[in-house]
Amino acid sequence: ELDPREVEVFYEHISNAVLWPTFHDRIDRLPLRVEGWDVYDAVNARYADAVAAQHRPGDVVWVHDYQLMRVPALLRERIPDARVGFFLHIPFPNPEIYFALPTRDWLVEGMMGADLVGFHTRRFQGHFRAALRRLFGLEMDAAGYVTWRGRHVRLGGFPIGVDAAGLAARAASPEVDAVVSDLASTPDERILVGIDRLDYSKGIPRRFLAVERLLATHPEWRERIRFVQVAVPSRDRVAAYREFRKEVEGLVGRINGRFGTPTWTPIHYMYRAVSTDVVLGLCRAADVLLVTPLRAGMNLVAKEFAASRIDEDGVLVLSEFAGAADELTDAILVNPYDIDGTADAIHAALTMDPAERRRRMRALREQVAANDVHRWVSTFLDTLTATT
């Protein structure tokens, strides 16, 4: 158990108020003064101690994500011959941004305690390679290895997937059917859906502005679309998140006030957690799913959408800055910073020929099924055990 101060400093301050914004290209969100790296390291050491206490010869250790970037090196000190993998679930930023951290060397040294360091995309791996080059003068060889303090550390790209078959089966359940029925639109109404944690990296304000722009430039969609945005509460003990919630809710009120009528509200905003059945029901009912993060390691909602569309219909509008964009090329890809361009993409999705919608969705579903979470796990672990 972590004590309250450790939770506050390690988790809320360093992990979520410093590392998260930096790795999502938002150094403008950093506190003016950053303290607590000693607590971050101490908590990471406690994880390493716990692993070392349980470790037996032949065990494989898989360390996950930005909260535990120091664990591989700390574990290496305790068990020099341990087989350790590290996977970063968020982007690794461009070095020009990453170097804003005063602990930039120290964090990379922590990751390099692993035998295999994995990322979602080649781009994020490339950023990490550039950081290694600039910090330590090291290069990756043709086989994907970096020589690090007498050891060979392998770098690799392993795009995470979802349980496609399981989601498809659950999407066909009576419980999800009931949600879809409740959401059923009139023949002339289209449903847009967004499902996100309430986080400034998700692009929610610009998404709302794109919907506003759509209604302004294409008045034929007024009273004919319903945009359901689920915003799952997140990190509300971090000041930046509390301020962001006010910004989002203010936008909802302004846009609904501008375009709403006594019988129609364009944006249905839900600030709460919802069940998996509701998520799948929203995905199945959506004519268009909007996934427009400003930066994301992967974004699994986009893949869950494809997996759940057992009717092989619906259109995915996806940010080119999500890791998923490298794989889901049959989505309509957008620059989420381009409000007008995103509005145009939503209009294109709403007016797409049915045969084209189905062709794209079939391709998305094939991609998601072929590269599911089970393949991600086996590929990473097979690579880790084969690393020399």
Side-chain angles (χ1 to χ4, degrees), residues 7-19 21 31 33-37 238:
V7 172
E8 179 183 2
V9 178
F10 155 74
Y11 185 67
E12 294 172 1
H13 180 60
I14 295 296
S15 295
N16 291 336
V18 177
L19 294 177
R33 182 173 178 82
V34 177
E35 296 178 314
W37 293 109
V238 178

Side-chain angles (χ1 to χ4, degrees), residues 30-352:
L30 289 178
L32 291 178
R33 182 173 178 82
V34 177
E35 296 178 314
W37 293 109
D38 57 333
V39 177
Y40 179 88
D41 197 49
V43 172
N44 273 240
R46 287 179 59 186
Y47 275 86
D49 288 339
V51 173
Q54 298 294 325
H55 187 273
R56 299 293 180 269
D59 285 350
V60 171
V61 183
W62 193 355
V63 183
H64 290 263
D65 225 5
Y66 62 102
Q67 299 94 342
L68 303 178
M69 293 172 71
R70 290 285 301 158
V71 168
L74 294 169
L75 185 60
R76 184 70 55 194
E77 293 174 0
R78 291 154 175 77
I79 313 174
D81 60 350
R83 180 65 55 134
V84 181
F86 178 82
F87 188 83
L88 186 68
H89 288 265
I90 63 175
F92 193 91
N94 186 296
E96 296 301 324
I97 293 172
Y98 177 70
F99 282 10
L101 292 173
T103 53
R104 56 200 189 186
D105 301 55
W106 179 73
L107 291 169
V108 169
E109 288 171 345
M111 295 169 66
M112 291 296 284
D115 296 289
L116 173 63
V117 179
F119 306 88
H120 284 302
T121 70
R122 290 172 58 89
R123 183 185 311 113
F124 303 149
Q125 179 187 335
H127 288 167
F128 185 73
R129 289 171 57 189
L132 282 173
R133 182 183 308 119
R134 291 178 57 179
L135 290 172
F136 305 106
L138 299 176
E139 295 286 353
M140 187 179 79
D141 65 22
Y145 287 91
V146 176
T147 300
W148 174 262
R149 300 178 180 175
R151 299 170 37 248
H152 292 99
V153 178
R154 188 168 182 177
L155 311 181
F158 304 89
I160 195 171
V162 297
D163 180 12
L167 286 168
R170 189 161 182 174
S173 69
E175 293 80 7
V176 175
D177 283 341
V179 176
V180 176
S181 296
D182 289 342
L183 290 165
S185 57
T186 63
D188 197 42
E189 184 184 50
R190 305 293 183 84
I191 296 178
L192 312 178
V193 171
I195 304 170
D196 309 85
R197 281 190 310 105
L198 188 62
D199 188 284
Y200 47 74
S201 69
K202 305 300 183 182
I204 297 173
R206 286 179 171 84
R207 188 183 308 164
F208 286 160
L209 293 175
V211 171
E212 179 183 38
R213 183 64 177 164
L214 173 74
L215 295 172
T217 57
H218 292 280
E220 68 270 23
W221 290 118
R222 298 178 191 179
E223 300 190 72
R224 290 185 56 212
I225 63 169
R226 178 163 38 125
F227 178 28
V228 181
Q229 173 65 59
V230 175
V232 178
S234 176
R235 301 170 186 168
D236 53 11
R237 292 181 62 176
V238 178
Y241 285 77
R242 295 194 297 271
E243 291 301 314
F244 182 66
R245 179 184 174 186
K246 293 177 185 177
E247 176 188 349
V248 168
E249 293 177 351
L251 267 176
V252 172
R254 183 180 67 73
I255 295 169
N256 282 343
R258 178 181 176 186
F259 291 105
T261 71
T263 58
W264 175 70
T265 302
I267 300 177
H268 293 246
Y269 177 73
M270 301 166 58
Y271 176 68
R272 62 177 180 272
V274 296
S275 69
T276 300
D277 288 341
V278 171
V279 169
L280 294 176
L282 284 167
C283 285
R284 275 188 50 194
D287 293 285
V288 181
L289 184 79
L290 304 178
V291 180
T292 57
L294 305 180
R295 182 69 66 190
M298 178 53 67
N299 192 291
L300 293 180
V301 174
K303 294 187 174 185
E304 291 168 353
F305 176 60
S308 70
R309 289 311 295 243
I310 51 180
D311 61 347
E312 297 189 337
D313 203 356
V315 182
L316 174 62
V317 174
L318 177 63
S319 166
E320 64 188 50
F321 300 130
D326 287 2
E327 299 172 88
L328 304 184
T329 55
D330 283 279
I332 298 180
L333 299 180
V334 298
N335 173 1
Y337 291 93
D338 180 0
I339 304 301
D340 291 349
T342 303
D344 291 343
I346 297 171
H347 179 69
L350 289 167
T351 56
M352 186 178 291

